[in-house]
């Protein structure tokens, strides 16, 4: 009997992806419902319907689930923000393109900011320096530095920009999501104003 190992490996990978996604989605639901501090690993496992051993194949704690949630979010948002062939004429236009996409994406994924706003102090401990977030900020810095070298943007402190951009955008995104009517343009311009005036660009 010939066993198709490639087929088995492919099925195994699909199953692993499904299991991990089930844990991530359960984590989002439970963190929103109970809060990070009150959530237990058992709560997450119970919500997935998976065996406890399966959970520990992917994560060692609820904190690792939380980090994975923010990493996955950062990866999605990075693809959305970077996905364009538009060449901005100046730094403000660059920010407007990126921030409009960011706030549109956030408005389509409110659950991540529900976790952040409900568990602000706890979430800050885990979310600031997750690997994917660091990587996405590095991509952004590289892009800006390339435009500075080309003379499209003025020369400014890109490291300072990288330091302040996330706290500002996250705070404004949380504020935007708390409004009855979501106004993406308003918060895009508000964010541009903060960033350009603060950096003196």
């Amino acid at each position: 009997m010939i066993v198709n190992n490639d087929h088995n490996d492919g099925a195994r990978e699909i199953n692993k992806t499904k299991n991990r996604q089930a844990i991530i989605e359960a984590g989002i639901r439970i963190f929103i419902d109970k809060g990070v501090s009150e959530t237990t690993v058992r709560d997450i496992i119970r919500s997935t319907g998976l065996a406890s051993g399966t959970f520990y194949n992917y994560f060692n704690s609820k904190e690792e689930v939380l980090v994975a949630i923010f990493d996955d979010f950062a990866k999605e948002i990075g693809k959305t923000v970077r996905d364009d062939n538009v060449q901005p004429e100046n730094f403000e236009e660059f920010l407007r393109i990126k921030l409009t996409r960011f706030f549109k994406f956030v408005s389509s994924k409110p659950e991540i900011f529900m976790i952040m706003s409900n568990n602000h102090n706890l979430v800050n401990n885990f979310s600031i320096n997750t690997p994917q977030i660091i990587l996405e900020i590095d991509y952004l810095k590289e892009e800006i530095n390339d435009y500075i070298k080309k003379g499209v943007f003025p020369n400014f402190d890109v490291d300072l920009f990288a330091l302040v951009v996330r706290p500002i955008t996250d705070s404004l995104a949380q504020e935007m999501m708390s409004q009855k009517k979501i106004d993406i343009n308003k918060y895009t311009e508000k964010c541009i104003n903060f960033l350009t005036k603060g950096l003196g660009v």
Side-chain angles (χ1 to χ4, degrees), residues 167-178:
I168 291 171
T169 53
D170 280 357
S171 296
L172 289 173
Q174 287 181 60
E175 183 183 314
M176 180 184 77
M177 295 305 293
S178 70

Side-chain angles (χ1 to χ4, degrees), residues 71 74-75 82 130-142:
D71 262 6
K75 190 180 293 183
R82 288 196 306 273
T130 68
Q132 191 64 38
I133 289 171
I134 292 170
L135 187 60
E136 295 301 335
I137 294 292
D138 283 345
Y139 285 148
L140 188 60
K141 285 169 65 176
E142 286 173 17

Side-chain angles (χ1 to χ4, degrees), residues 83-100:
D83 184 23
D84 70 66
N85 295 313
V86 178
Q87 298 297 310
E89 293 184 5
N90 52 53
F91 184 58
E92 188 173 310
E93 186 183 344
F94 172 84
L95 286 177
R96 189 165 287 109
I97 293 166
K98 302 292 186 185
L99 290 168
T100 299

